[in-house]
Amino acid sequence: MDELEVILVEDDPAVREGSAQALDLMGFKVRDFDSAEPVRDLLRPHCPWVLVSDVRLPGISGLELLQAAHAVDPDLPVILVTGHGDIAMAVQAMHDGAYDFIEKPYSSEQLADVVRRALDKRRLQLEVHALRQRLAHSQGIDAALLGNTAAMRELRRLILDVASQPADVLIYGETGTGKELVARCLHEFSERARHHYVAVNCGAIPETIFESELFGHEAGAFTGAAKRQVGKIEHASEGTLFLDEIESLPLAMQVKLLRVLQERHVVRLGSVQPVPVDLRIVAAAKLDLRELSDQGQFRADLYYRLNLIVLHIPPLRERRDDIPLLFEHFLLDAARRYRRDVPALPATHLHALLRHDWPGNVRELRNAADRYVLGLPGALPGVASASAATASSSASLADQVSGFERSVIDAALRDALGNVATACAALGLPKQTLYHKMQKHGLTAEDYR
């Protein structure tokens, strides 16, 4: 995101020069103008600045500039500067959408405080807009498997690298990390995408019918088998068979599955005729299969057969920078499904999302977004009472923004392992500015090394 600017419009040279100089000394980037006309020509949606304008100007007035600005971008924070006799006019302008007003004469600190709050609000607006733009323009695997952290970029690269390979794949990940989504990507971005993708939850099928479900059966193979049934393995031929929670697969079935992996044919119950199958098996596990095999709970030969291409999905707590993007995606999806407006997300609530460890991972985050859109109490972890439709906080905007700023800097320093130069590059901040903000929030680089 571009560095945010303050656009200052003031026709009095002394006031304009003094205000611009004061803001510059306090670290703000300022462009000043003596009339509104050139500023009006600069207006565009989502411009990276806030506007500070005197009400009384030669030519177009500050009120007319406010109207022109909001016609182009209704969210642009506009701060009006008024004389003593213009208070009633300024109050009316607040009703018409002005962010705030300052009465002349004003101190440098007063101007800086209002500008800082307006810039913080603008920064949040632009971040939300950028997230929605990224979601809207995501394509291919970037749209299917969201996340911009290094771990997720590497996972997407690996999926595309191995998707076209014939080898079976083993996926490790905690509950809710998206193991089936990764399996679907392996299928959809391979030549097998034209054929069936068949998912089997090994922990959800009763052991008594597991063999029939997986291998199929002939008519009369057992009581109730009135007709031939094609099993999941045969149905997935030429496509992909996804075996979720493979650590739950009964040992007797592990032997049979190993035979299918080795010989690439299946024999239905009640038959002796092998049926050739051409499929790729993608298995997923929450637990380490090597440890289970050492404990005698999983066949070592099956483990070594599967342990060729291994993908690890990081838990959400290890990629916190992806949380805003994912939550925004889930908000948009939930709002569409429930036919609700997309609720605003105050910075304190976003800060709560970033603090939470998310033991249920992406699935838990999606459920939180659903509850937030529905306005259910306690929708967000760490927020005592959050009604999304009327989300509010007793904290001031400055406190909310400060909390959000601290969490973003904390995440950048954590990703950079305490390397301030790397964090500066990621945040788009000058080193002096980042050090100042770290000092303000009590953060030190040594804590991240």
Side-chain angles (χ1 to χ4, degrees):
M1 185 183 300
D2 296 337
E3 184 180 356
L4 299 189
E5 293 183 299
V6 181
I7 302 298
L8 176 66
V9 187
E10 171 61 65
D11 62 324
D12 185 317
V15 175
R16 184 174 68 254
E17 183 178 350
S19 298
Q21 186 176 44
L23 290 172
D24 182 66
L25 289 173
M26 293 184 184
F28 299 103
K29 186 177 179 181
V30 186
R31 276 193 289 168
D32 57 278
F33 300 84
D34 59 5
S35 64
E37 283 78 3
V39 176
R40 181 188 58 185
D41 296 338
L42 291 174
L43 291 169
R44 66 185 190 279
H46 313 295
C47 51
W49 33 270
V50 300
L51 177 57
V52 181
S53 176
D54 195 0
V55 170
R56 299 188 181 277
L57 295 168
I60 297 175
S61 70
L63 294 175
E64 291 171 316
L65 182 58
L66 168 67
Q67 294 171 356
H70 282 181
V72 174
D73 185 345
D75 295 325
L76 178 66
V78 178
I79 302 164
L80 295 177
V81 179
T82 68
H84 179 68
D86 297 329
I87 298 299
M89 182 192 306
V91 171
Q92 181 59 47
M94 293 280 288
H95 285 292
D96 293 339
Y99 175 75
D100 207 342
F101 70 91
I102 308 174
E103 184 182 1
K104 291 180 179 179
Y106 50 81
S107 66
S108 299
E109 291 75 16
Q110 183 183 4
L111 174 63
D113 181 61
V114 176
V115 165
R116 183 177 293 108
R117 286 188 282 110
L119 285 169
D120 288 336
K121 179 179 181 179
R122 187 59 169 173
R123 185 173 291 106
L124 287 174
Q125 290 173 350
L126 296 179
E127 285 171 354
V128 169
H129 173 71
L131 288 176
R132 291 183 179 175
Q133 287 293 102
R134 192 186 306 167
L135 290 169
H137 293 92
S138 295
Q139 296 180 351
I141 195 170
D142 290 335
L145 201 60
L146 294 174
N148 200 40
T149 53
M152 293 306 293
R153 292 196 300 269
E154 175 65 9
L155 179 60
R156 288 195 295 266
R157 185 191 68 79
L158 287 172
I159 289 171
L160 293 178
D161 282 349
V162 305
S164 59
Q165 302 299 319
D168 300 322
V169 179
L170 177 59
I171 303 170
Y172 281 115
E174 295 179 4
T175 297
T177 49
K179 295 186 289 296
E180 182 166 2
L181 182 58
V182 170
R184 282 190 175 275
C185 287
L186 285 167
H187 176 74
E188 294 295 336
F189 295 99
S190 74
E191 294 179 356
R192 296 182 178 272
R194 303 189 304 273
H195 304 285
H196 292 138
Y197 169 86
V198 179
V200 177
N201 188 321
C202 298
I205 301 176
E207 188 170 350
T208 53
I209 65 170
F210 201 102
E211 188 171 3
S212 173
E213 286 289 315
L214 219 57
F215 298 94
H217 61 256
E218 297 288 348
F222 52 84
T223 303
K227 59 181 180 179
R228 172 187 289 177
Q229 176 177 301
V230 172
K232 303 285 189 183
I233 295 175
E234 191 175 343
H235 185 57
S237 187
E238 297 188 86
T240 301
L241 177 67
F242 174 55
L243 298 175
D244 197 10
E245 297 187 22
I246 196 169
E247 67 269 31
S248 303
L249 191 66
L251 287 171
M253 290 300 102
Q254 292 181 27
V255 176
K256 294 178 181 293
L257 176 62
L258 179 61
R259 186 174 298 122
V260 172
L261 288 172
Q262 291 172 335
E263 300 176 2
R264 297 293 164 170
H265 68 245
V266 63
V267 178
R268 304 188 193 106
L269 284 175
S271 173
V272 294
Q273 184 67 38
V275 178
V277 290
D278 170 21
L279 78 163
R280 176 192 228 177
I281 290 182
V282 178
K286 298 191 294 287
L287 306 176
D288 189 323
L289 297 185
R290 173 63 184 271
E291 290 184 7
L292 292 179
S293 70
D294 290 344
Q295 298 165 9
Q297 299 178 43
F298 195 86
R299 290 189 63 93
D301 46 7
L302 178 56
Y303 162 70
Y304 286 114
R305 185 77 192 193
L306 293 171
N307 193 51
L308 178 59
I309 297 177
V310 181
L311 301 178
H312 293 269
I313 307 177
L316 197 53
R317 64 181 175 276
E318 292 180 7
R319 55 181 187 112
R320 293 180 190 271
D321 285 359
D322 287 334
I323 290 174
L325 176 67
L326 288 167
F327 194 71
E328 183 67 24
H329 168 70
F330 294 145
L331 282 183
L332 293 171
D333 179 64
R336 176 187 55 78
R337 284 186 286 111
Y338 297 120
R339 298 182 181 179
R340 299 285 188 96
D341 291 335
V342 180
L345 185 69
T348 48
H349 292 182
L350 180 56
H351 190 45
L353 293 178
L354 293 169
R355 285 198 312 265
H356 188 56
D357 277 342
W358 300 104
N361 292 291
V362 177
R363 184 181 299 134
E364 182 185 359
L365 185 68
R366 177 191 288 274
N367 290 341
D370 276 30
R371 294 195 301 271
Y372 198 69
V373 166
L374 292 171
L376 301 179
L380 302 185
V383 178
S385 58
S387 173
T390 57
S392 62
S393 173
S394 58
S396 68
L397 176 62
D399 290 339
Q400 295 178 44
V401 170
S402 178
F404 175 75
E405 182 182 73
R406 188 187 191 282
S407 67
V408 171
I409 294 173
D410 172 79
L413 288 169
R414 185 168 53 248
D415 285 349
L417 300 177
N419 186 312
V420 175
T422 303
C424 285
L427 295 169
L429 288 176
K431 188 176 291 187
Q432 183 177 1
T433 302
L434 181 57
Y435 272 120
H436 172 74
K437 292 181 181 295
M438 288 168 60
Q439 183 179 20
K440 180 177 74 171
H441 295 300
L443 301 173
T444 58
E446 287 74 22
D447 292 339
Y448 298 86
R449 292 171 182 161

